[in-house]
Amino acid sequence: MARSSPAVLLVLAALAGVAAAGDIVHQDDEAPKIPGCANDFVLVKVQTWVNKKEKDEFVGVGARFGPKIESKEKHANRTRLLLANPSDCCTPPTEKVAGDILLVERGNCKFTTKAKVAESAGASAIIVINDKHELYKMVCERNETDLDIGIPAVLLPKDAGSKLQSFPSSGEVLVQLYSPDRPLVDTAEVFLWLMAVGTILCASYWSAWSAREADIEQEKLLKDGHEIPPNFEAGGSSGMVDINMASALLFVVIASCFLITLYRLMSHWFLELLVVIFCIGGVEGLQTCLVALLSMSRRFKPAAESFVKVPVFGAVSYLTLAVCPFCIVFAVLWGVYRRLPYAWIGQDILGITLIVTVIQIVRIPNLKVGSALLSCAFLYDIFWVFISKMLFHESVMIVVARGDKTDEDGVPMLLKIPRMFDPWGGYSIIGFGDILLPGLLIAFALRYDWAAKKTLQSGYFLWSMVAYGSGLLITYVALNLMDGHGQPALLYIVPFTICTFLALGMKRGELRNLWTRGQPERVCTHTHPSPKDPADPVSSS
């Protein structure tokens, strides 16, 4: 795990920067907004009753034209549904329509023409069945002028429309059209914020504790007069990996290639492969965290300190061998049952433990490397969420995160929580990279504070945590202001975090040391003056 950590970091961070709550309002800048045709695209619930017995509920999308659809279910009327004759509703219907809703098929004329014909015949609304299995946005043509349409229009995907089309054969069909508003803030976003902040908090303290233990071990070796092993690093151990400047700068290239691969090859079999990779990483993360927690207990400490040689893996503690089967079973059960409603809990557990493990193993050596890594992630985030639309006609990051080209509810490299009070359901999600990449810099802050013996208020950790929390909070504010459209979280998190670090370092006169050394100035108490020159000052390390 230690040697492959940089690769794991880049793979996990490929989905950096996407925080989303599902597309509820479908804005489309390419579709013209003209007088009489300026509605936002909204999802519409189509509730049905057959012979007064409640049946299926379908979801469609409202048109650019016509009046706005009622948002409150209690104010929406139940209205009889009629099959249009002719079915395309391009010419006046042969049957009398008295305030009913007409169900029509797409094709042979413009959407606005269908709505005008239905309104002239006395219909109260029109439901159009698409000829494809996805939703389509009903818009107006640029040269249209007669757009005084007084009835709402809703389009259903082909499968839902075909099913609704079969209902009239069973008796009288009533339908109710309404488009409920999303709540301004959902509790899912609150819990997701707490999960992200809590994950970084735990990972940072574990990373700083490991560094301090290594420092103590080094001090013992120096006191006893032993030589420091060549692979022993102050503030760390041979099992830890430092990110260098080259790795930070290559982040954009490697992560972009991985993201494009996901986008191009996204299919059922490829997603299954991602699930297997995620489960392997999740087993490693869960096992590492459980072993670390259990090792703190006196009951399990002997098992944690006793090792046995295992082929391929080398020396492995008995506690690791005992915990590993549980972790494997947990990951396999999640992989098999990941489509169940509560499977998100298992995904979040595996994801959080994997992030914590990587932050504990992978280190940023100084502020220069940390700033370079986050700056590259910042540009990567903006490009693949916003600018990629110009090249691919859709946001590559959001398409991959949601798993649009598969039957899955998104790729597994995300933390997600179901939106509990959202009438449209769905999940609030955040990419691993939005936690992992800033978490590396924040963990560096805590290691520096402990090495410099700083208090919370006088150190950098507390303020970098506040900066991260504030940046993530603003991400969710922007998410709600943008009607649920995915937002690049690092667009807000990176400036807050880096600027806080730079401002505090400059104010305290420690910026140069943070930027290059990454460690406080310390006096080597075990180095004595040379007898030839007793006036020499004590050297500093």
Side-chain angles (χ1 to χ4, degrees):
M1 177 70 182
R3 292 181 181 178
S4 63
S5 289
V8 172
L9 168 64
L10 291 171
V11 169
L12 294 180
L15 286 177
V18 57
D23 291 326
I24 302 303
V25 176
H26 296 262
Q27 298 283 3
D28 188 352
D29 295 332
E30 296 179 3
K33 277 190 174 184
I34 54 180
C37 189
N39 294 339
D40 290 333
F41 293 111
V42 296
L43 293 180
V44 180
K45 292 195 175 187
V46 182
Q47 181 63 56
T48 63
W49 290 263
V50 177
N51 294 327
K52 298 183 179 180
K53 291 184 178 179
E54 188 171 347
K55 295 286 286 185
D56 297 326
E57 181 181 86
F58 306 104
V59 175
V61 63
R64 218 20 147 200
F65 50 85
K68 290 187 177 180
I69 296 170
E70 177 60 52
S71 62
K72 302 289 185 182
E73 182 181 6
K74 62 182 179 181
H75 295 155
N77 296 322
R78 295 185 188 180
T79 309
R80 189 170 64 141
L81 181 73
L82 289 181
L83 298 180
N85 186 18
S87 61
D88 58 13
C89 199
C90 291
T91 55
T94 57
E95 297 179 8
K96 184 179 179 181
V97 182
D100 302 318
I101 295 177
L102 280 182
L103 182 64
V104 307
E105 294 179 356
R106 181 185 177 186
N108 302 326
C109 62
K110 295 182 292 188
F111 292 120
T112 51
T113 300
K114 295 177 187 290
K116 290 174 190 175
V117 170
E119 184 180 12
S120 299
S124 60
I126 183 174
I127 298 176
V128 182
I129 303 173
N130 195 14
D131 55 6
K132 297 180 181 178
H133 291 287
E134 59 265 12
L135 288 173
Y136 185 84
K137 300 171 182 177
M138 296 189 288
V139 300
C140 311
E141 295 183 3
R142 293 183 185 276
N143 58 356
E144 288 191 78
T145 55
D146 184 18
L147 294 171
D148 187 17
I149 299 172
I151 62 172
V154 177
L155 184 133
L156 289 178
K158 184 177 180 179
D159 52 351
S162 299
K163 190 171 185 180
L164 182 58
Q165 210 169 18
S166 67
F167 284 176
S169 61
S170 303
E172 184 184 49
V173 180
L174 300 178
V175 295
Q176 185 181 40
L177 307 178
Y178 64 103
S179 178
D181 297 324
R182 292 176 56 220
L184 185 61
V185 178
D186 192 271
T187 52
E189 293 166 4
V190 177
F191 283 116
L192 205 58
W193 185 91
L194 291 173
M195 281 170 58
V197 171
T199 299
I200 291 180
L201 188 69
C202 294
S204 298
Y205 269 95
W206 189 9
S207 177
W209 178 81
S210 299
R212 186 168 65 178
E213 289 294 305
D215 281 339
I216 293 172
E217 186 66 25
Q218 183 190 29
E219 289 290 328
K220 286 181 179 178
L221 290 172
L222 288 170
K223 279 184 180 180
D224 295 339
H226 295 298
E227 290 186 5
I228 303 299
N231 63 349
F232 192 100
E233 298 179 11
S237 72
S238 59
M240 295 184 182
V241 178
D242 279 357
I243 299 176
N244 55 30
M245 185 59 75
S247 299
L249 296 177
L250 280 173
F251 167 82
V252 174
V253 177
I254 300 175
S256 294
C257 290
F258 181 72
L259 187 65
I260 282 291
T261 303
L262 288 175
Y263 178 72
R264 293 297 188 189
L265 300 181
M266 186 62 69
S267 59
H268 177 72
W269 71 267
F270 193 72
L271 197 61
E272 293 288 341
L273 178 62
L274 287 180
V275 168
V276 171
I277 294 172
F278 173 70
C279 285
I280 293 171
V283 168
E284 177 70 25
L286 185 59
Q287 168 220 293
T288 303
C289 291
L290 285 177
V291 168
L293 286 173
L294 294 174
S295 299
M296 298 170 66
S297 170
R298 291 182 180 178
R299 181 179 299 178
F300 296 103
K301 199 165 186 179
E305 295 175 348
S306 302
F307 294 86
V308 61
K309 194 170 184 179
V310 178
V312 180
F313 296 99
V316 179
S317 71
Y318 285 102
L319 183 59
T320 300
L321 289 177
V323 167
C324 197
F326 167 78
C327 299
I328 293 172
V329 169
F330 185 91
V332 169
L333 286 176
W334 172 83
V336 172
Y337 297 105
R338 65 184 183 278
R339 294 181 181 89
L340 294 180
Y342 295 100
W344 62 271
I345 298 174
Q347 179 172 325
D348 288 352
I349 291 173
L350 292 173
I352 288 172
T353 54
L354 181 55
I355 292 170
V356 169
T357 299
V358 173
I359 292 177
Q360 193 270 333
I361 293 174
V362 181
R363 303 186 317 173
I364 287 177
N366 52 48
L367 185 55
K368 180 171 72 172
V369 173
S371 298
L373 178 64
L374 287 183
S375 297
C376 289
F378 174 80
L379 297 174
Y380 164 87
D381 221 5
I382 294 173
F383 180 86
W384 289 112
V385 174
F386 290 141
I387 303 176
S388 62
K389 289 181 181 179
M390 302 176 188
L391 302 174
F392 300 90
H393 306 294
E394 58 188 351
S395 174
V396 172
M397 181 85 75
I398 293 175
V399 167
V400 171
R402 293 189 313 217
D404 284 0
K405 299 179 181 180
T406 69
D407 57 354
E408 296 278 345
D409 227 350
V411 294
M413 285 89 79
L414 300 162
L415 297 186
K416 64 181 189 178
I417 297 181
R419 296 180 61 82
M420 290 169 258
F421 298 104
D422 192 327
W424 297 105
Y427 292 87
S428 287
I429 63 175
I430 184 170
F432 283 176
D434 300 329
I435 304 171
L436 181 57
L437 297 173
L440 292 171
L441 185 62
I442 294 171
F444 161 75
L446 187 59
R447 290 196 302 271
Y448 185 91
D449 287 353
W450 281 17
K453 295 182 171 53
K454 289 179 177 288
T455 63
L456 269 180
Q457 191 170 357
S458 65
Y460 296 92
F461 171 71
L462 173 64
W463 305 114
S464 57
M465 281 295 301
V466 170
Y468 174 80
S470 302
L472 188 57
L473 182 64
I474 290 177
T475 301
Y476 286 114
V477 171
L479 186 67
N480 286 295
L481 291 177
M482 298 295 178
D483 295 319
H485 283 66
Q487 290 294 300
L490 295 182
L491 171 64
Y492 310 96
I493 293 171
V494 170
F496 269 77
T497 309
I498 292 181
C499 289
T500 298
F501 236 119
L502 293 175
L504 284 176
M506 192 175 297
K507 181 181 178 182
R508 296 168 179 174
E510 298 176 334
L511 184 57
R512 183 184 296 273
N513 197 41
L514 285 165
W515 190 257
T516 54
R517 283 173 49 86
Q519 293 181 10
E521 295 287 349
R522 289 181 295 183
V523 175
C524 292
T525 55
H526 303 287
T527 304
H528 302 284
S530 171
K532 294 181 180 179
D533 190 3
D536 283 347
V538 176
S539 63
S540 61
S541 60

